[in-house]
Amino acid sequence: MENISSHKHFIFLGFEELGALRPVLFVPFFLMFIVALAANSLLVYVVFSHRSLHQPMSILIAGMACVELCLPVFFVPNMLLSFLFDWKGISLVGCLIQMHFIHFFGAFQTTFLVWMALDRYFAICTPLYYHELMALQRFLKFIIPLAVRNVLLITFFVSLAGKLQFCTNIINHCFCEHMALVELACGSTAINSLAGLMAVFFIPVLDFFIIAASYIVIFSSVLRSSSSGAKALHTCVTHIIVLTFSLTLALIAFLSYRIRNGLPATIRVFFSTMYLLFPSGFNPIIYGIRTTEIREHMLKTLTHWTRFVQIVRF
């Protein structure tokens, strides 16, 4: 029997079909990366530097901004170097580390939306007990189980991927996404696919059902009582907008790997990349615009910085 030598070094070929136009991708992805870093950094700074924003919802928004700030750092710089200098290689260990952090922070994108939905549920449906329920000691019972779930499931399927034998080292992607690596393996990958499906079902899908159930109860409560209904709906609509964009991109990215149907590889890679990068730049802008208190403090901070720059220049 022929011995199989497993590859330990891989080459990214994402967007390779674009040929000479591939370096042009540096510009839009670099701009999105800068917007994501700047917007999330500003949001985190504004929330933690103003005591008036030290409220549960604002802190959750800042926590989500931290996730959105960290996520692109683990794959966008590598993409940009690949576009500009044609640096495409990565070791197996580096690939697994990148995969772990990408999926780990990606999982918390929907988990933070769950915690925000619970915050709105307590604020609207049980307003008299809101501060008691949102006290850290009590809210930890909602934080810890979901955080442990994310850590265990992500670590599980990444560990399984690391044990595979790889017959080829060409990854048709710009970073180490789970299925992009698994499809290079020799032999059956049924267990890996099952582990990936379990992670999808128990993280974004389960989170979606929790969020949907929370908002059904919230809207029912608002319809029964007109008091503070407008403000409640305004706050909830912000979360629904973010959830809709995030889940739409996630669903397209998920199906593109499992239902090929002749879909061009470039389109598949594009949606898989946007699923991670676009929310990082989109979410802080939406929260900054639609959350009145945060918007006002962000405008004041930007105005102060602008005046400081002008004074330094002159």
Side-chain angles (χ1 to χ4, degrees), residues 30-48 58 61-70 72 277-289 294-295 297-299 301-302 305:
F30 177 74
L31 292 177
M32 284 188 285
F33 182 53
I34 294 300
V35 168
L37 294 184
N40 286 292
S41 298
L42 176 61
L43 184 53
V44 172
Y45 171 79
V46 166
V47 171
F48 285 106
S58 297
I61 290 174
M64 188 170 186
C66 289
V67 169
E68 307 286 10
L69 181 63
C70 294
L277 182 56
F278 185 74
S280 293
F282 174 79
N283 292 353
I285 294 174
I286 288 295
Y287 283 119
I289 292 173
I294 293 178
R295 180 177 69 246
H297 284 293
M298 289 179 75
L299 290 174
T301 301
L302 290 173
W305 287 354

Side-chain angles (χ1 to χ4, degrees), residues 107-118:
F108 275 96
Q109 287 179 317
T110 57
T111 301
F112 265 99
L113 292 175
V114 171
W115 293 331
M116 291 179 189
L118 291 174

Side-chain angles (χ1 to χ4, degrees), residues 232-299:
L233 288 175
H234 177 82
T235 306
C236 293
V237 165
T238 302
H239 303 155
I240 293 171
I241 291 172
V242 171
L243 178 64
T244 301
F245 272 90
S246 299
L247 288 180
T248 300
L249 289 171
L251 182 61
I252 294 173
F254 174 76
L255 293 178
S256 67
Y257 257 101
R258 288 161 174 83
I259 305 175
R260 298 299 177 84
N261 291 330
L263 188 69
T266 298
I267 301 299
R268 178 158 49 90
V269 173
F270 173 77
F271 278 112
S272 295
T273 305
M274 287 297 100
Y275 154 58
L276 297 172
L277 182 56
F278 185 74
S280 293
F282 174 79
N283 292 353
I285 294 174
I286 288 295
Y287 283 119
I289 292 173
R290 293 190 59 84
T291 306
T292 304
E293 296 84 357
I294 293 178
R295 180 177 69 246
E296 291 175 352
H297 284 293
M298 289 179 75
L299 290 174

